[in-house]
Amino acid sequence: MKVAIAYEVGRPLEIEDLPLPAPGPNDVVVRLRASGICHTDLNVMQGRSALPMPTVPGHEGCGIVEEVGSEVRRTKVGDRVLACVTPACGNCWSCLNGMSNHCDINGEVKAAKRIQLKDGRKAAAVCGCGTFAEAMVVHEASVVPVQTDLIDEQLALLGCGVTTGLGAALNTAQVTPGATVAVIGCGGVGQSVIQGARICGAAVIIAVDPVAGRRAASLAIGATHAVDPGDGDPVEQVQALTGGRGADFTFEVVGRPELVTQAVDMARMEGVVTMVGMPSITDVLTLPAIKTVFSGKRIAGSVIGGSQILRDFPRYIRLAESGRLDLSSMITHRISLDEINKGIELVERAEGVRTVVL
C-alpha cells in the first residue's frame, strides 16, 4: 500500500510502498476512500507536538472495512466507517461517564507502532489512524460504522475538523439562542464553530481572520460580520459590534496563546471562552489573575469539541443530511495521495478552507 511518512521535522512527506500490517485481535483494516488534511498534521510535521517520528500523518478519514481481528465487535467486513481523532472504547470509566473524548485507552491506541518501514524501524500513526495512505490498520475503538448517503469527501471531514468545531459550539460552550459569538481563526475548524453557532441560534456571529477568502467563506455559511485584524485592534472591533460589552461566547481556533488572550478580552463579563486550536507543546498561557477572577469569565479547553463519537457522529451526519450543516462549501481543494505535499503547503499558506485527499 502507498503510505506518506513523516521521517523528520521540517521535511516533506515521503510516499512509499509498504506492506499492509496484519491486524491484531482488536484491530480493523480500512481501505481509505477520503482523508481531510488538518492543521494538526502540519503541527506534527513542524515539531509542534510531542509525537515522535517517523510517523504516518492523517487522522480525518473514512473508508470500507476489509478485515477485522478475532475480538472485534463494533464493526464487520464491508461496513462503511468514519475514523476519529480520539478512540472511544465505550467501556472504560471515561466513556461510561460521558467523557469518551478522554477514553482511558487513548494513549495506548495512539502509541501503537504498526507500520513496518523499509529501514527496519516501525512507525506509529497520528492519533492512531494514519489516513495519508491507501489503507490503515486501527483499533476498533477508533472507527464508528455509519449509514449515510453523504459522499466520501464530505463524510471524512467529520472525523476531526467538523466534529471539533461543531462540538465546541454545541457541547463545550453550549451557545444559546440569540447569543453573540466571536470566532478567531476561520479555517475548517473555525467555520465549523461558526456553523455550530448558527445551528444553536446565535444572533450575531463574528468571524475574525486575516485571510480575506476565509472571511468571505465564513459570511457565506453563517457569520453575520467579518473582522480583519489588519484593520485595527480586533478586540475593539468585536466590542464595537457587540454594544461595547464583548461577545457572550468567544472561540480561539488557531492554537496561539496571544490569540487566546484576545478571545478572553473579546468576551463580555461572565462570558464563555473556549480554546479549540492546538497550541505547541511548549506554549504557555498567561492571564492577569485578579482581572480573570473578577470578570467571572469561564475558560474551557475543548477536546474534539467535547463530542462523544458514538452518540454524536450520527447526530452530526443527520445535520448534514438535512442541510443544516453545510459540508460541501468547506472543501476548496481535492488532491491525490501522490500530491500530499502540495496539500500540506496549502494548509501552511492558509489557502482555502479544507483540502481532501481522494
Side-chain angles (χ1 to χ4, degrees):
M1 64 171 180
K2 283 185 179 179
V3 184
I5 309 287
Y7 277 101
E8 294 179 10
V9 171
R11 275 179 52 184
L13 297 174
E14 296 188 21
I15 298 176
E16 299 183 354
D17 193 1
L18 299 175
L20 181 67
N26 299 111
D27 292 338
V28 177
V29 179
V30 179
R31 181 64 53 177
L32 288 157
R33 302 285 294 272
S35 173
I37 301 180
C38 180
H39 202 276
T40 297
D41 299 309
L42 177 61
N43 285 344
V44 170
M45 294 176 63
Q46 292 177 335
R48 290 170 53 83
S49 76
L51 297 182
M53 292 188 179
T55 189
V56 181
H59 56 277
E60 184 180 270
C62 66
I64 305 296
V65 174
E66 287 192 337
E67 186 178 353
V68 299
S70 59
E71 297 179 16
V72 170
R73 299 293 179 267
R74 178 173 297 180
T75 188
K76 63 184 184 302
V77 173
D79 280 350
R80 192 181 188 200
V81 293
L82 181 57
C84 185
V85 59
T86 298
C89 71
N91 302 311
C92 68
W93 185 91
S94 295
C95 286
L96 294 175
N97 284 275
M99 297 185 295
S100 66
N101 51 328
H102 298 279
C103 179
D104 291 1
I105 66 170
N106 183 43
E108 170 192 341
V109 167
K110 292 181 178 180
K113 293 186 176 182
R114 295 184 173 90
I115 307 296
Q116 183 68 56
L117 302 177
K118 292 180 178 180
D119 62 8
R121 289 182 292 172
K122 281 198 168 184
V126 171
C127 298
C129 294
T131 60
F132 293 173
E134 292 180 324
M136 64 180 181
V137 178
V138 297
H139 193 285
E140 66 171 327
S142 293
V143 296
V144 176
V146 296
Q147 294 184 346
T148 177
D149 291 330
L150 291 178
I151 60 176
D152 293 324
E153 63 180 40
Q154 294 181 18
L155 180 63
L157 301 187
L158 291 170
C160 178
V162 171
T163 290
T164 296
L166 186 64
L170 273 63
N171 301 321
T172 308
Q174 298 182 9
V175 173
T176 53
T180 57
V181 175
V183 181
I184 302 175
C186 300
V189 179
Q191 292 200 24
S192 298
V193 174
I194 289 169
Q195 292 209 56
R198 171 177 51 76
I199 289 167
C200 288
V204 174
I205 305 174
I206 305 165
V208 183
D209 199 290
V211 180
R214 288 185 169 179
R215 294 196 303 273
S218 299
L219 291 168
I221 51 88
T224 59
H225 302 78
V227 164
D228 181 356
D231 289 341
D233 186 345
V235 174
E236 293 180 359
Q237 292 187 66
V238 168
Q239 288 175 340
L241 292 168
T242 54
R245 290 181 297 274
D248 301 319
F249 298 89
T250 65
F251 297 83
E252 196 280 347
V253 200
V254 182
R256 287 167 47 187
E258 66 272 24
L259 297 183
V260 175
T261 301
Q262 283 188 7
V264 173
D265 291 341
M266 286 176 184
R268 64 161 170 82
M269 301 292 282
E270 300 285 345
V272 177
V273 181
T274 303
M275 299 169 57
V276 185
M278 179 182 171
S280 169
I281 192 168
T282 59
D283 284 342
V284 175
L285 176 63
T286 302
L287 295 171
I290 195 164
K291 181 180 177 182
T292 303
V293 170
F294 281 95
S295 72
K297 298 175 185 181
R298 288 174 288 158
I299 304 171
S302 186
V303 179
I304 61 168
S307 297
Q308 312 304 297
I309 60 173
L310 295 173
R311 175 199 71 190
D312 287 337
F313 274 172
R315 182 164 65 134
Y316 299 162
I317 286 171
R318 288 195 297 272
L319 285 170
E321 289 173 334
S322 69
R324 296 186 66 195
L325 173 63
D326 182 359
L327 298 175
S328 62
S329 67
M330 298 177 62
I331 302 169
T332 51
H333 298 86
R334 298 166 179 82
I335 62 172
S336 67
L337 182 60
D338 289 332
E339 300 172 300
I340 188 64
N341 285 307
K342 173 185 174 182
I344 294 295
E345 290 171 3
L346 290 170
V347 176
E348 196 167 15
R349 295 196 302 266
E351 188 173 325
V353 178
R354 211 55 159 188
T355 296
V356 179
V357 184
L358 297 171

Coordinates of all heavy atoms in Angstrom, one line a residue, residues 75-148:
T75 N -17.6 -3.5 14.5 CA -17.8 -3.4 13.0 C -17.5 -4.7 12.3 O -16.9 -5.6 13.0 CB -16.9 -2.3 12.4 OG1 -17.2 -2.1 11.1 CG2 -15.4 -2.6 12.5
K76 N -17.8 -4.8 11.1 CA -17.6 -6.1 10.3 C -17.2 -5.7 8.9 O -17.3 -4.6 8.5 CB -18.9 -6.9 10.3 CG -20.1 -6.2 9.5 CD -21.3 -7.0 9.6 CE -22.5 -6.4 8.8 NZ -22.8 -5.1 9.2
V77 N -16.7 -6.7 8.2 CA -16.2 -6.5 6.8 C -17.3 -6.0 6.0 O -18.5 -6.5 6.0 CB -15.7 -7.9 6.3 CG1 -15.4 -7.7 4.8 CG2 -14.5 -8.3 7.0
G78 N -17.0 -5.0 5.2 CA -18.0 -4.3 4.3 C -18.6 -3.1 4.9 O -19.2 -2.3 4.1
D79 N -18.5 -2.9 6.2 CA -19.0 -1.7 6.8 C -18.3 -0.4 6.3 O -17.1 -0.4 6.0 CB -18.9 -1.7 8.3 CG -20.0 -2.6 8.9 OD1 -20.9 -3.0 8.3 OD2 -19.8 -2.8 10.2
R80 N -19.1 0.7 6.1 CA -18.5 2.0 5.9 C -18.3 2.6 7.2 O -19.2 2.6 8.1 CB -19.5 2.8 5.1 CG -18.9 4.1 4.5 CD -20.0 4.9 3.8 NE -19.4 6.1 3.1 CZ -20.1 7.1 2.7 NH1 -21.4 7.1 2.9 NH2 -19.5 8.1 2.1
V81 N -17.0 3.1 7.5 CA -16.7 3.6 8.8 C -16.1 5.0 8.7 O -15.5 5.4 7.7 CB -15.7 2.6 9.5 CG1 -16.4 1.3 9.9 CG2 -14.4 2.4 8.7
L82 N -16.3 5.7 9.8 CA -15.7 7.0 9.9 C -14.6 6.9 11.0 O -14.9 6.4 12.1 CB -16.8 8.0 10.3 CG -16.4 9.5 10.6 CD1 -15.7 10.1 9.3 CD2 -17.6 10.3 10.9
A83 N -13.4 7.3 10.7 CA -12.3 7.3 11.7 C -12.4 8.5 12.6 O -13.0 9.5 12.3 CB -11.0 7.3 11.0
C84 N -11.9 8.4 13.8 CA -11.9 9.5 14.8 C -10.5 9.8 15.3 O -9.7 8.9 15.6 CB -12.9 9.2 15.9 SG -13.1 10.6 17.0
V85 N -10.3 11.1 15.6 CA -9.0 11.6 16.1 C -8.8 11.0 17.5 O -7.6 10.9 17.9 CB -9.1 13.1 16.2 CG1 -10.2 13.6 17.1 CG2 -7.8 13.7 16.7
T86 N -9.8 10.6 18.2 CA -9.6 10.1 19.6 C -10.5 8.8 19.7 O -11.7 8.9 19.4 CB -10.0 11.1 20.7 OG1 -9.1 12.2 20.6 CG2 -9.9 10.4 22.1
P87 N -9.9 7.7 20.1 CA -10.7 6.5 20.3 C -11.8 6.6 21.4 O -11.7 7.4 22.3 CB -9.7 5.4 20.6 CG -8.6 6.2 21.3 CD -8.5 7.5 20.6
A88 N -12.8 5.8 21.3 CA -13.8 5.7 22.3 C -14.2 4.2 22.4 O -14.9 3.7 21.6 CB -15.0 6.5 21.9
C89 N -13.7 3.6 23.5 CA -13.9 2.1 23.6 C -15.3 1.8 24.1 O -15.9 0.7 23.8 CB -12.9 1.5 24.6 SG -13.2 2.0 26.3
G90 N -16.0 2.8 24.7 CA -17.3 2.6 25.2 C -17.5 1.8 26.5 O -18.6 1.7 27.0
N91 N -16.4 1.4 27.1 CA -16.4 0.5 28.3 C -15.7 1.1 29.5 O -15.9 0.6 30.6 CB -15.9 -0.9 28.0 CG -16.6 -1.6 26.8 OD1 -17.8 -1.6 26.8 ND2 -15.9 -2.1 25.9
C92 N -14.7 2.0 29.3 CA -13.9 2.5 30.4 C -14.7 3.5 31.2 O -15.8 3.9 30.9 CB -12.6 3.1 29.8 SG -12.9 4.6 28.9
W93 N -14.0 3.9 32.3 CA -14.7 4.9 33.2 C -15.0 6.2 32.5 O -16.1 6.7 32.7 CB -13.7 5.2 34.4 CG -14.3 6.1 35.4 CD1 -15.0 5.7 36.5 CD2 -14.3 7.5 35.4 NE1 -15.5 6.8 37.2 CE2 -15.0 8.0 36.6 CE3 -13.8 8.5 34.6 CZ2 -15.2 9.3 36.9 CZ3 -14.0 9.9 34.9 CH2 -14.7 10.3 36.0
S94 N -14.1 6.7 31.7 CA -14.3 8.0 31.0 C -15.5 7.8 30.0 O -16.4 8.7 29.9 CB -13.1 8.4 30.2 OG -12.0 8.7 31.1
C95 N -15.5 6.7 29.2 CA -16.6 6.5 28.3 C -17.9 6.4 29.0 O -19.0 7.0 28.5 CB -16.3 5.3 27.4 SG -15.1 5.5 26.2
L96 N -18.0 5.7 30.1 CA -19.2 5.5 30.8 C -19.7 6.7 31.6 O -20.8 6.7 32.0 CB -19.1 4.3 31.8 CG -18.8 2.9 31.1 CD1 -18.6 1.8 32.1 CD2 -20.0 2.6 30.2
N97 N -18.8 7.7 31.7 CA -19.2 8.9 32.4 C -19.2 10.1 31.5 O -19.0 11.3 31.9 CB -18.2 9.2 33.6 CG -18.4 8.3 34.8 OD1 -19.3 8.6 35.6 ND2 -17.7 7.1 34.8
G98 N -19.5 9.9 30.2 CA -19.8 11.0 29.3 C -18.6 11.7 28.9 O -18.6 12.9 28.4
M99 N -17.4 11.1 28.9 CA -16.1 11.7 28.5 C -15.3 10.8 27.6 O -14.2 10.6 27.8 CB -15.3 12.1 29.7 CG -16.0 13.1 30.6 SD -14.9 13.7 32.0 CE -14.7 12.1 32.9
S100 N -16.0 10.2 26.6 CA -15.3 9.3 25.7 C -14.2 10.0 24.9 O -13.3 9.3 24.4 CB -16.3 8.6 24.8 OG -16.9 9.5 23.9
N101 N -14.3 11.3 24.8 CA -13.2 12.1 24.2 C -11.9 12.0 25.0 O -10.9 12.5 24.6 CB -13.6 13.5 23.9 CG -14.2 14.2 25.0 OD1 -14.8 13.6 25.9 ND2 -14.0 15.5 25.1
H102 N -12.0 11.5 26.2 CA -10.8 11.2 27.1 C -10.7 9.8 27.4 O -10.2 9.4 28.5 CB -10.9 12.1 28.4 CG -11.0 13.5 28.2 ND1 -9.9 14.3 28.0 CD2 -12.0 14.4 28.1 CE1 -10.2 15.6 27.8 NE2 -11.5 15.7 27.9
C103 N -11.1 8.9 26.5 CA -11.1 7.5 26.7 C -9.8 7.0 27.3 O -8.7 7.4 27.0 CB -11.3 6.8 25.3 SG -11.3 5.0 25.4
D104 N -9.9 6.0 28.2 CA -8.8 5.5 29.0 C -7.7 4.8 28.1 O -6.6 4.8 28.5 CB -9.3 4.5 30.1 CG -10.1 5.2 31.2 OD1 -10.3 6.5 31.1 OD2 -10.5 4.5 32.1
I105 N -8.1 4.3 27.0 CA -7.1 3.6 26.1 C -6.5 4.6 25.1 O -5.8 4.1 24.2 CB -7.7 2.4 25.4 CG1 -8.8 2.8 24.4 CG2 -8.3 1.4 26.5 CD1 -9.2 1.6 23.5
N106 N -6.8 5.9 25.2 CA -6.3 6.9 24.3 C -4.8 6.8 24.0 O -4.3 6.7 22.9 CB -6.7 8.2 24.8 CG -6.3 9.4 23.8 OD1 -6.5 9.2 22.6 ND2 -5.7 10.4 24.4
G107 N -4.0 6.8 25.1 CA -2.6 6.8 24.9 C -2.1 5.5 24.3 O -1.2 5.5 23.4
E108 N -2.6 4.4 24.7 CA -2.2 3.1 24.2 C -2.5 3.0 22.7 O -1.7 2.5 21.9 CB -3.0 2.0 25.0 CG -2.9 0.6 24.4 CD -3.9 -0.4 25.0 OE1 -4.4 -0.1 26.1 OE2 -4.1 -1.4 24.4
V109 N -3.7 3.4 22.3 CA -4.1 3.3 20.9 C -3.2 4.2 20.0 O -2.7 3.8 18.9 CB -5.5 3.7 20.7 CG1 -5.9 3.9 19.3 CG2 -6.4 2.6 21.3
K110 N -2.9 5.4 20.5 CA -2.2 6.3 19.7 C -0.7 6.0 19.6 O 0.0 6.4 18.7 CB -2.4 7.8 20.2 CG -3.8 8.3 20.0 CD -4.0 9.7 20.4 CE -5.4 10.1 20.2 NZ -5.7 11.5 20.6
A111 N -0.2 5.3 20.6 CA 1.3 5.0 20.6 C 1.6 3.7 19.8 O 2.8 3.4 19.6 CB 1.7 4.8 22.0
A112 N 0.6 2.9 19.4 CA 0.8 1.7 18.7 C 1.7 1.8 17.5 O 1.3 2.7 16.6 CB -0.5 1.0 18.4
K113 N 2.7 1.1 17.3 CA 3.6 1.1 16.1 C 3.3 -0.1 15.2 O 3.7 -1.2 15.5 CB 5.0 1.2 16.5 CG 5.5 2.4 17.2 CD 7.0 2.5 17.5 CE 7.4 3.8 18.1 NZ 8.8 3.9 18.3
R114 N 2.6 0.2 14.2 CA 2.1 -0.9 13.3 C 2.8 -0.9 11.9 O 2.9 -1.9 11.3 CB 0.6 -0.8 13.0 CG -0.3 -1.0 14.3 CD -1.7 -1.0 13.9 NE -2.6 -1.3 14.9 CZ -3.1 -0.4 15.8 NH1 -2.8 0.8 15.7 NH2 -4.0 -0.8 16.7
I115 N 3.3 0.3 11.5 CA 3.8 0.4 10.1 C 5.3 -0.1 10.1 O 6.2 0.5 10.8 CB 3.7 1.8 9.6 CG1 2.3 2.3 9.8 CG2 4.2 1.9 8.2 CD1 1.3 1.6 8.9
Q116 N 5.6 -1.1 9.3 CA 7.0 -1.6 9.1 C 7.7 -0.8 8.0 O 7.2 -0.9 6.8 CB 7.0 -3.1 8.8 CG 8.4 -3.7 8.7 CD 9.1 -3.7 10.0 OE1 8.6 -4.3 11.0 NE2 10.3 -3.1 10.0
L117 N 8.7 0.0 8.4 CA 9.4 0.8 7.4 C 10.5 0.0 6.7 O 10.9 -1.1 7.2 CB 10.0 2.0 8.1 CG 9.0 2.9 8.8 CD1 9.7 4.0 9.5 CD2 8.0 3.5 7.8
K118 N 11.0 0.5 5.6 CA 12.0 -0.2 4.8 C 13.3 -0.3 5.5 O 14.1 -1.2 5.3 CB 12.2 0.5 3.5 CG 10.9 0.4 2.6 CD 11.2 1.0 1.2 CE 9.9 0.8 0.3 NZ 10.1 1.5 -1.0
D119 N 13.6 0.7 6.4 CA 14.9 0.7 7.1 C 14.8 -0.2 8.4 O 15.8 -0.2 9.2 CB 15.3 2.1 7.5 CG 14.3 2.8 8.4 OD1 13.4 2.1 8.9 OD2 14.5 4.0 8.7
G120 N 13.8 -0.9 8.6 CA 13.7 -1.8 9.8 C 12.9 -1.3 10.9 O 12.5 -2.0 11.8
R121 N 12.8 0.0 11.0 CA 12.0 0.7 12.1 C 10.5 0.5 11.9 O 10.1 0.2 10.8 CB 12.4 2.1 12.2 CG 13.8 2.5 12.7 CD 14.0 4.0 12.8 NE 14.0 4.6 11.4 CZ 14.0 5.9 11.3 NH1 14.0 6.7 12.3 NH2 14.0 6.4 10.0
K122 N 9.8 0.7 13.0 CA 8.4 0.7 13.0 C 7.9 2.1 13.3 O 8.5 2.8 14.1 CB 7.8 -0.3 14.0 CG 7.8 -1.7 13.5 CD 6.9 -2.6 14.2 CE 6.7 -4.0 13.6 NZ 5.7 -4.8 14.3
A123 N 6.8 2.5 12.6 CA 6.2 3.8 12.8 C 4.8 3.8 13.4 O 4.1 2.8 13.0 CB 6.2 4.6 11.5
A124 N 4.5 4.7 14.2 CA 3.1 4.9 14.7 C 2.4 5.7 13.7 O 3.0 6.1 12.6 CB 3.1 5.5 16.1
A125 N 1.2 6.1 14.0 CA 0.4 6.9 13.1 C -0.3 8.0 14.0 O -0.6 7.8 15.1 CB -0.7 6.1 12.4
V126 N -0.4 9.2 13.4 CA -1.0 10.3 14.1 C -2.4 10.0 14.6 O -3.3 9.5 13.8 CB -1.1 11.6 13.2 CG1 -1.9 12.7 13.9 CG2 0.4 12.0 12.9
C127 N -2.6 10.1 15.9 CA -3.9 9.8 16.5 C -4.3 8.3 16.4 O -5.5 8.0 16.6 CB -5.0 10.7 16.0 SG -4.7 12.5 16.3
G128 N -3.3 7.5 16.1 CA -3.6 6.1 16.0 C -4.2 5.7 14.7 O -4.7 4.6 14.5
C129 N -4.3 6.7 13.7 CA -5.0 6.4 12.5 C -4.1 6.3 11.3 O -3.8 5.2 10.8 CB -6.0 7.5 12.2 SG -7.4 7.6 13.4
G130 N -3.5 7.4 10.8 CA -2.6 7.4 9.6 C -3.4 7.3 8.3 O -3.3 6.4 7.6
T131 N -4.2 8.4 8.1 CA -5.1 8.3 6.9 C -4.4 8.8 5.6 O -5.1 8.8 4.6 CB -6.4 9.2 7.2 OG1 -6.0 10.5 7.4 CG2 -7.2 8.6 8.3
F132 N -3.2 9.3 5.7 CA -2.4 9.6 4.5 C -1.9 8.3 3.9 O -0.6 8.1 3.9 CB -1.3 10.6 4.8 CG -1.8 12.0 5.2 CD1 -1.0 13.0 5.6 CD2 -3.2 12.3 5.2 CE1 -1.4 14.2 6.0 CE2 -3.6 13.6 5.6 CZ -2.8 14.5 6.0
A133 N -2.7 7.5 3.5 CA -2.3 6.1 3.0 C -3.5 5.6 2.2 O -4.6 6.1 2.2 CB -2.0 5.2 4.2
E134 N -3.2 4.5 1.5 CA -4.3 3.8 0.8 C -5.2 3.0 1.7 O -6.3 2.7 1.4 CB -3.7 2.9 -0.3 CG -3.1 3.7 -1.5 CD -2.5 2.9 -2.5 OE1 -2.0 1.8 -2.2 OE2 -2.5 3.3 -3.7
A135 N -4.6 2.5 2.8 CA -5.3 1.8 3.8 C -4.7 2.0 5.2 O -3.6 2.5 5.3 CB -5.3 0.3 3.5
M136 N -5.4 1.7 6.2 CA -4.9 1.8 7.6 C -5.4 0.7 8.4 O -6.4 0.1 8.2 CB -5.3 3.1 8.2 CG -6.8 3.3 8.4 SD -7.2 4.9 9.2 CE -9.0 4.7 9.3
V137 N -4.6 0.3 9.4 CA -5.0 -0.6 10.4 C -5.1 0.1 11.8 O -4.1 0.7 12.2 CB -3.9 -1.8 10.6 CG1 -4.3 -2.8 11.6 CG2 -3.8 -2.5 9.2
V138 N -6.3 0.1 12.3 CA -6.6 0.8 13.5 C -7.3 0.0 14.6 O -7.9 -1.1 14.2 CB -7.4 2.1 13.2 CG1 -6.7 3.0 12.3 CG2 -8.8 1.7 12.6
H139 N -7.2 0.4 15.8 CA -8.0 -0.2 16.9 C -9.5 0.0 16.6 O -9.9 1.1 16.1 CB -7.6 0.4 18.2 CG -8.2 -0.4 19.4 ND1 -9.5 -0.4 19.8 CD2 -7.5 -1.2 20.3 CE1 -9.6 -1.2 20.9 NE2 -8.5 -1.7 21.2
E140 N -10.3 -1.0 16.9 CA -11.8 -0.8 16.6 C -12.4 0.4 17.3 O -13.4 1.0 16.8 CB -12.5 -2.1 16.9 CG -12.6 -2.4 18.4 CD -13.6 -3.5 18.7 OE1 -14.6 -3.6 18.0 OE2 -13.3 -4.3 19.7
A141 N -11.8 0.8 18.4 CA -12.3 2.0 19.1 C -12.1 3.3 18.4 O -12.8 4.3 18.7 CB -11.6 2.1 20.5
S142 N -11.3 3.3 17.3 CA -11.1 4.5 16.5 C -12.0 4.6 15.3 O -11.8 5.6 14.6 CB -9.6 4.5 16.1 OG -8.7 4.6 17.2
V143 N -12.9 3.7 15.1 CA -13.8 3.8 14.0 C -15.2 3.6 14.5 O -15.5 2.9 15.4 CB -13.5 2.8 12.9 CG1 -12.1 3.1 12.3 CG2 -13.6 1.4 13.4
V144 N -16.2 4.2 13.7 CA -17.6 4.1 14.0 C -18.3 3.7 12.7 O -18.2 4.5 11.7 CB -18.2 5.4 14.6 CG1 -19.7 5.3 14.8 CG2 -17.5 5.8 15.9
P145 N -19.0 2.6 12.7 CA -19.8 2.3 11.4 C -20.9 3.3 11.2 O -21.5 3.8 12.2 CB -20.4 0.9 11.8 CG -19.6 0.4 12.9 CD -19.2 1.6 13.7
V146 N -21.1 3.7 10.0 CA -22.1 4.8 9.7 C -22.9 4.3 8.5 O -22.5 3.6 7.6 CB -21.5 6.1 9.4 CG1 -20.7 6.7 10.6 CG2 -20.5 6.0 8.2
Q147 N -24.2 4.8 8.5 CA -25.1 4.5 7.3 C -25.6 5.9 6.9 O -26.4 6.5 7.5 CB -26.2 3.6 7.8 CG -25.8 2.2 8.1 CD -27.0 1.3 8.5 OE1 -28.1 1.8 8.6 NE2 -26.7 0.0 8.5
T148 N -25.1 6.3 5.7 CA -25.4 7.6 5.2 C -25.1 7.6 3.7 O -24.3 6.9 3.2 CB -24.6 8.7 5.9 OG1 -24.9 10.0 5.3 CG2 -23.1 8.4 5.8

